[in-house]
Amino acid sequence: TMLEQQERYHAEESRVLDAVRMANEFKVAVVRKELFLEYQPFIEIDTGRIVGFEALMRWNHPKTGRMRPDLFIPMAEDTGLIIEATRWAFREACKTLKRMITQTGDSALFISVNFSAQDFDDPAFLDELLFTLHETGIHPTQIHLEITERLLLRQSEGVKKILQQCREHEMQIAIDDFGTGYSSLSYLHQYPVSTLKIDQSFVRNMTTDKGVLGLVKSILSLSENMGLAIIAEGVETQQHVEMLQTLKCRVAQGYFFARPMPEHEAASLLAGQYTK
Ligand code: C2E
Ligand code: CA
Ligand code: CA
Ligand code: CA
C-alpha cells in the first residue's frame, strides 16, 4: 500500500540521516581525540613470545560510548574520511612501537596497521608513511600493512605501484582475512606480499570440518612455496593451538592468547617477557 511505501521511505530516510550524522561526528573525532587504538599481540606458538602487535581502531563516541569498528569503518570508507583516520592510526601505532622498543630494547618487534582500499587513492600515501616513519624513528621493516584481498581484486596499476614502493622501502605487506570469498589466488603472485593472515573462520572450523582443515593445509603449503610468512587469526582454544603447531604454523593471534588491549596493558604484558 501507499502507507507502507511511505513508511519504508521514512525508514530509509532516517537511515540516511543517521549515516550523515555519524559521518559529521566522525569528521571531528580525530581532532577531538575520540579515536584510540588497542593492541592485540601476535604470538610465536612454540615459545609463547610476543613478536608484534596489531593496532585496532576504536571510537569513543561522545553519546553512544565506545563503538566497534564494524559500525564506523564502512561509513568512514564510503565517505573517504578513513584516509585521515588511517594517517592518524599509523602515526599513533608508530609512536607506540617506538615506546615499546625503547622499553624492551627489542628492535625486532613489529606493528601491523589496517589499511582500507580508499587509503590508496590518496596521492600522498607513500610520502605520508615515509614521513611518519622518519619522524617517529621507526624502521620500515617493523611495519606491516594489513590489506584485504578486495584491494588486490581491483587489479589497479596504481595500487600495485604503491605496494611495490612500500616493499622497496622494506615495509611488510600482509593479506588480511586470507581465503575469504574472493579468488585472489590467481593474482597473488603479481603483488609484493610478505604475509598471509589465515581468516578466523578457517581457524574456527578446521577442528570440526575436514574440508576446512584441507584448506588451511593448502594455505600453509602455498605460503611455504611462495616464501610467505603466515599468521593464524582467531585462535581461541588449546585445540586450535595444538592443531596449528602440528601444521607447523609459527605465529598466531586470538583470544586464547590475548584480546586487543590499551597500550599500557600491552606494554606491561610485553615487559613480563623480558624479565624471565
Ligand atoms: P580484522 O582486521 O580482521 O581484525 C580482527 C578482528 O577480530 C578484531 O576485531 C579483533 O578484536 C577480533 N579478534 C581477534 N582475536 C579474536 C578471536 O580469537 N576471536 C574472535 N571472535 N575475534 C577475534 P575488531 O577490533 O572489532 O575489528 C574488526 C574489523 O574492523 C577489523 O577486522 C578490521 O577489518 C576493521 N578495523 C579495525 N581497526 C581498523 C583500522 O584502524 N583501519 C581499518 N581500515 N580497519 C580497521
Ligand atoms: Ca587486520
Ligand atoms: Ca582479519
Ligand atoms: Ca576483517
Side-chain angles (χ1 to χ4, degrees):
T1 67
M2 190 85 150
L3 194 68
E4 279 172 300
Q5 209 175 349
Q6 246 172 13
E7 270 167 16
R8 259 203 307 279
Y9 179 74
H10 285 307
E12 179 61 25
E13 192 180 42
S14 71
R15 255 199 303 279
V16 171
L17 285 176
D18 282 351
V20 170
R21 184 181 314 129
M22 203 207 264
N24 281 325
E25 288 167 346
F26 191 77
K27 224 177 266 176
V28 292
V30 177
V31 203
R32 294 191 185 155
K33 300 195 194 317
E34 291 164 8
L35 298 183
F36 62 100
L37 296 177
E38 285 195 321
Y39 298 90
Q40 186 179 29
F42 296 112
I43 307 290
E44 185 177 58
I45 298 178
D46 282 340
T47 59
R49 287 178 72 82
I50 298 169
V51 292
F53 290 90
E54 177 174 2
L56 293 155
M57 199 185 290
R58 278 87 182 82
W59 182 10
N60 196 2
H61 188 277
K63 282 183 229 98
T64 57
R66 192 189 148 121
M67 209 189 283
R68 283 177 32 216
D70 293 344
L71 292 174
F72 66 85
I73 296 280
M75 171 279 296
E77 290 177 343
D78 290 346
T79 54
L81 294 171
I82 193 74
I83 293 177
E84 175 98 29
T86 303
R87 278 187 192 177
W88 167 84
F90 184 71
R91 194 153 181 277
E92 278 300 302
C94 286
K95 288 197 274 184
T96 295
L97 180 61
K98 187 69 193 179
R99 286 190 281 269
M100 286 172 165
I101 293 167
T102 306
Q103 178 205 355
T104 61
D106 186 350
S107 54
L109 284 170
F110 68 89
I111 211 140
S112 74
V113 176
N114 291 283
F115 287 83
S116 295
Q118 289 77 2
D119 291 317
F120 290 81
D121 297 335
D122 175 9
F125 182 86
L126 185 69
D127 287 343
E128 281 282 340
L129 295 191
L130 295 175
F131 178 77
T132 302
L133 290 171
H134 180 75
E135 193 190 14
T136 54
I138 293 296
H139 195 269
T141 51
Q142 293 170 283
I143 293 298
H144 292 208
L145 312 181
E146 291 199 10
I147 58 172
T148 61
E149 289 174 288
R150 237 171 328 151
L151 183 69
L152 306 193
L153 204 88
R154 272 202 195 174
Q155 291 275 59
S156 139
E157 286 307 317
V159 168
K160 215 174 275 182
K161 191 161 164 244
I162 294 174
L163 290 174
Q164 258 144 17
Q165 288 169 325
C166 289
R167 278 301 280 156
E168 278 157 24
H169 284 92
E170 296 183 279
M171 285 176 247
Q172 311 284 308
I173 293 157
I175 307 298
D176 208 351
D177 309 341
F178 185 76
T180 51
Y182 308 95
S183 64
S184 58
L185 214 51
S186 47
Y187 34 82
L188 187 62
H189 69 279
Q190 299 175 15
Y191 291 89
V193 169
S194 33
T195 306
L196 303 180
K197 293 188 78 180
I198 305 179
D199 188 63
Q200 315 199 351
S201 62
F202 299 138
V203 173
R204 195 170 307 130
N205 297 319
M206 71 178 177
T207 48
T208 52
D209 186 329
K210 285 235 153 56
V212 173
L213 179 60
L215 232 142
V216 171
K217 283 182 182 166
S218 52
I219 295 175
L220 281 158
S221 67
L222 174 80
S223 72
E224 201 180 318
N225 292 332
M226 292 184 73
L228 304 176
I230 278 274
I231 297 177
E233 283 194 85
V235 175
E236 292 182 348
T237 67
Q238 181 71 42
Q239 199 190 5
H240 292 158
V241 176
E242 281 163 13
M243 193 170 268
L244 289 167
Q245 215 161 7
T246 313
L247 297 174
K248 300 199 161 53
C249 175
R250 223 176 54 82
V251 181
Q253 181 187 33
Y255 294 169
F256 178 80
F257 300 107
R259 288 183 177 254
M261 60 189 96
E263 181 183 339
H264 67 94
E265 275 177 43
S268 52
L269 192 66
L270 195 58
Q273 89 180 15
Y274 296 91
T275 53
K276 269 175 215 156

